[in-house]
Amino acid sequence: MTSKTIGDLMTAIRAVTDKPLRHFILTHHHIGHSYADFDFPPDVDLLVSMQTWKAMESEITHELNQPLFLFGDGLTLRLGNQSVVLTTMGRGHTEEDILVFFPKQQTVFTSDLVFVDAIGYMGDGHMEDWLLTLEFIEQLEADIVIPGFGPVSDNGAVTRFKAFFREMMTEVLRYLEQGSSLEETLQGFSLPRYGAYSGYDQFIRTNVRRAYLDLQANILN
């Protein structure tokens, strides 16, 4: 969420409604990305989980200009006859990720917990926790899934991403169990059936590296 990205989002909102923006939900934050996530419009409520705020707080370089609302396990907003359910999922794509669910419309905003027919960035991921979260999202059986990357889809997109995720993890685990080093794993790893996915060439080595180190740490513990 750089300043330009937030500006583009505001422009897109104005293209579909003349209603004012009241709430901005920050679903996650990447530690170390200190150039981002701090240029929100003034006088707009910023909703952030406690864990995400802890990750952000030490990186803020200037005073925030909007009201800040922090929550723990979750938060439900009642806006007229509309309900919005925010659920903290714990570690996954980052140290903590939030699902945003509209029960009436059976619509879920997954943020970067789900990519549709794409290989997104997983370099800060906690892989085993993330896979369990995908199981939870799939069980919501939402009619509309709005992912972190890729087109608006349905619950089938969650199932497909979970299948890719599981295959990637299984392949990395195979290398670990046969005693391959990280470099050997990176050199040999391949999932050709997903080679046409958007971002495969850009992110697969980063994601495999993270999966290897994360699984290695868990196995050793």
Side-chain angles (χ1 to χ4, degrees):
M1 298 304 297
T2 64
S3 180
K4 181 182 184 305
T5 302
I6 292 170
D8 290 344
L9 179 60
M10 295 293 292
T11 299
I13 291 171
R14 287 192 289 268
V16 296
T17 180
D18 58 0
K19 294 180 179 180
L21 178 63
R22 291 179 53 193
H23 308 288
F24 198 109
I25 302 166
L26 186 65
T27 59
H28 66 281
H29 175 74
H30 290 276
I31 297 174
H33 291 198
S34 55
Y35 60 87
D37 290 344
F38 307 122
D39 293 311
F40 301 101
D43 303 322
V44 173
D45 297 343
L46 179 60
L47 279 63
V48 187
S49 75
M50 287 294 300
Q51 186 65 32
T52 298
W53 176 248
K54 288 178 182 177
M56 294 173 60
E57 192 172 17
S58 63
E59 300 182 313
I60 293 177
T61 58
H62 59 269
E63 185 176 352
L64 295 179
N65 295 319
Q66 60 279 315
L68 178 66
F69 291 86
L70 305 177
F71 58 93
D73 293 337
L75 176 69
T76 298
L77 303 176
R78 291 299 303 271
L79 308 172
N81 63 354
Q82 179 71 263
S83 293
V84 185
V85 181
L86 314 183
T87 304
T88 54
M89 301 306 302
R91 302 192 313 174
H93 177 68
T94 60
E95 288 298 311
E96 184 159 86
D97 301 272
I98 300 171
L99 287 181
V100 183
F101 185 52
F102 289 73
K104 188 175 180 180
Q105 289 80 13
Q106 279 296 295
T107 297
V108 62
F109 289 76
T110 68
S111 184
D112 285 348
L113 288 165
V114 173
F115 305 113
V116 174
D117 300 331
I119 309 297
Y121 176 74
M122 300 179 177
D124 292 333
H126 301 273
M127 299 308 196
E128 292 176 289
D129 297 307
W130 194 342
L131 193 54
L132 291 173
T133 296
L134 290 175
E135 298 276 2
F136 176 86
I137 297 172
E138 187 179 35
Q139 290 172 15
L140 288 176
E141 297 184 340
D143 294 331
I144 300 172
V145 174
I146 302 177
F149 190 88
V152 174
S153 192
D154 56 22
N155 200 45
V158 182
T159 302
R160 292 195 303 275
F161 182 65
K162 187 185 73 171
F164 154 73
F165 201 117
R166 192 181 297 278
E167 287 187 44
M168 183 187 75
M169 296 282 283
T170 299
E171 184 68 1
V172 171
L173 186 59
R174 183 177 70 82
Y175 278 95
L176 270 168
E177 289 177 340
Q178 69 186 23
S180 298
S181 68
L182 174 58
E183 286 307 314
E184 289 170 338
T185 302
L186 290 171
Q187 290 175 12
F189 185 92
S190 178
L191 286 179
R193 65 179 294 185
Y194 298 103
Y197 268 29
S198 175
Y200 185 93
D201 292 336
Q202 180 180 3
F203 292 119
I204 194 64
R205 284 179 62 87
T206 297
N207 297 347
V208 168
R209 178 185 298 275
R210 178 62 178 181
Y212 182 99
L213 295 175
D214 195 52
L215 285 171
Q216 184 184 54
N218 289 335
I219 290 172
L220 291 177
N221 290 334

